[in-house]
Amino acid sequence: MRKWLWILLLAIPLLMAGCRKQQQVDESGYRIWYINQDETCLKYENKELQSKNEEGLLREMMEVMRETPTDDELKPVIPEDVTLLDFDFEHNQLYLDFSPEYKKMPKVYEVLCRAAIVRTLGQIDGVEYVDFQVNGEPLTDLEGKEIGLMNEDQFIENAGEEINAYKTADLTLYFANKAGDKLVGQRVAMEYNSNISLEKLIVEQLIAGPPFEGAYPTIPSETKLLNISIKDNICYVNLDEGFLGTGYNVIESIPVYSIVNSLIENTDAQKVQISINGETNRMFRESINFDTIFEKNEGLIEQ
């Protein structure tokens, strides 16, 4: 049942350099996510659960998500005819195998259902990623590509936002190797709100850092993306001063080409212009001039 679906790593670890899972447990209990009656967004209710161990919490959460919420504007996440056939914990990953009825859900509803399950079960101690299978087969997207391991950050739309218009992306993102002198690529499947541009999604995920073992952050986490756009096949990336920080032990070209290679690999851009607070007359670590329009650097990619 264990399959490493989506992630054919070239060598790497997009969410967090050490996994920044939200443990949403307090005196109010756990957040159980539900779907609104219009089937356009997710909202949660706090529930006190009785189980103390991981398996008990999983079973209890799945049952609670079938129950009618207190809020009349919400409804259960999991349809009555969909059952959980099997599950398995492996390291920080939870593998779920649903009955064939899972595939009968309308696509938008299924995305909401999946997001609710990931957000709810992600509160279980030790669960960083959730994998979906149906009757023993990997869950796939509209193009037939395997969804693979997921966590809540891969549903870019925030709770309460409309997600009727969503897109899927198969991204190759470049992070640093252990020595900090080469880039390693990671394939990641994501579903995101269509209001977010693909180029913005890419840079924000690079800032978030790699989610899997084998690769390391390239961009200081305090970096802010001020704006980004593509015109005439050039991607213009405007970052704040946080990008100039030296928080990670990587050679000077790695942060720059982490962005450049990732954008050119996944968008229509053929070149990238980076600016700091709108200024291109800046130097990066005293050797890289931002007046440069950068092209993809294949030589930095670890083979």
Side-chain angles (χ1 to χ4, degrees):
M1 171 174 155
R2 304 183 179 98
K3 296 185 180 179
W4 288 102
L5 311 178
W6 251 119
I7 316 145
L8 303 176
L9 303 180
L10 295 181
I12 159 183
L14 143 201
L15 300 202
M16 40 208 154
C19 298
R20 46 185 172 85
K21 177 173 72 72
Q22 291 183 326
Q23 182 71 7
Q24 297 172 325
V25 185
D26 53 26
E27 67 280 2
S28 300
Y30 290 84
R31 290 182 177 183
I32 307 299
W33 291 85
Y34 297 101
I35 297 177
N36 69 341
Q37 293 291 346
D38 293 331
E39 300 181 4
T40 57
C41 68
L42 298 176
K43 294 184 179 180
Y44 67 86
E45 291 186 346
N46 287 325
K47 302 281 187 180
E48 294 286 352
L49 303 181
Q50 302 303 312
S51 302
K52 302 301 180 183
N53 59 41
E54 290 82 0
E55 180 175 336
L57 280 172
L58 184 149
R59 294 184 183 277
E60 191 171 356
M61 286 175 170
M62 293 295 290
E63 286 305 313
V64 173
M65 282 189 283
R66 294 179 184 277
E67 298 174 357
T68 302
T70 304
D71 189 340
D72 292 337
E73 296 182 356
L74 303 178
K75 62 182 181 180
V77 167
I78 304 174
E80 292 182 0
D81 61 344
V82 174
T83 58
L84 181 63
L85 301 178
D86 195 10
F87 63 88
D88 189 17
F89 290 97
E90 183 177 286
H91 304 300
N92 62 348
Q93 294 133 21
L94 171 62
Y95 294 83
L96 304 175
D97 188 13
F98 289 93
S99 63
E101 290 77 13
Y102 184 96
K103 287 189 174 182
K104 295 180 181 180
M105 285 187 280
K107 186 57 183 176
V108 171
Y109 188 97
E110 187 275 323
V111 173
L112 284 163
C113 176
R114 182 155 31 102
I117 291 173
V118 170
R119 287 172 174 170
T120 301
L121 300 186
Q123 297 169 93
I124 299 174
D125 188 37
V127 174
E128 300 291 349
Y129 303 97
V130 182
D131 176 81
F132 287 74
Q133 298 185 4
V134 178
N135 203 27
E137 297 295 328
L139 182 65
T140 58
D141 62 18
L142 290 173
E143 298 179 351
K145 298 177 180 178
E146 296 177 5
I147 298 296
L149 294 167
M150 307 200 77
N151 64 21
E152 63 179 331
D153 290 349
Q154 287 173 264
F155 297 91
I156 299 302
E157 54 276 347
N158 295 320
E161 288 185 355
E162 303 286 325
I163 72 163
N164 277 328
Y166 73 95
K167 295 180 180 180
T168 61
D170 174 13
L171 304 176
T172 298
L173 303 176
Y174 289 95
F175 296 97
N177 66 356
K178 185 175 182 179
D181 60 357
K182 291 285 186 179
L183 294 170
V184 289
Q186 168 188 4
R187 287 187 62 189
V188 180
M190 301 197 71
E191 290 177 330
Y192 64 102
N193 194 298
S194 60
N195 292 326
I196 299 174
S197 69
L198 183 58
E199 55 269 24
K200 182 174 186 287
L201 173 70
I202 290 166
V203 175
E204 288 183 343
Q205 298 308 312
L206 292 174
I207 293 171
F212 308 113
E213 295 180 358
Y216 300 84
T218 58
I219 301 173
S221 59
E222 65 270 18
T223 302
K224 298 292 186 297
L225 176 62
L226 302 180
N227 50 67
I228 186 169
S229 62
I230 296 178
K231 184 178 180 182
D232 297 329
N233 299 118
I234 299 176
C235 187
Y236 297 89
V237 183
N238 185 18
L239 304 168
D240 74 349
E241 296 276 351
F243 182 70
L244 302 179
T246 57
Y248 299 119
N249 186 25
V250 296
I251 64 173
E252 55 205 9
S253 57
I254 291 298
V256 171
Y257 284 100
S258 171
I259 294 174
V260 173
N261 284 14
S262 296
L263 287 169
I264 293 176
E265 178 82 19
N266 298 288
T267 72
D268 293 332
Q270 297 175 4
K271 299 179 180 181
V272 176
Q273 169 77 74
I274 298 175
S275 59
I276 303 298
N277 292 327
E279 300 177 355
T280 57
N281 59 337
R282 303 289 295 271
M283 296 293 294
F284 184 66
R285 301 190 184 179
E286 301 181 355
S287 63
I288 297 178
N289 194 327
F290 284 143
D291 279 340
T292 304
I293 296 183
F294 300 96
E295 299 184 17
K296 187 175 182 180
N297 188 332
E298 298 280 356
L300 278 177
I301 300 174
E302 187 171 80
Q303 301 301 318

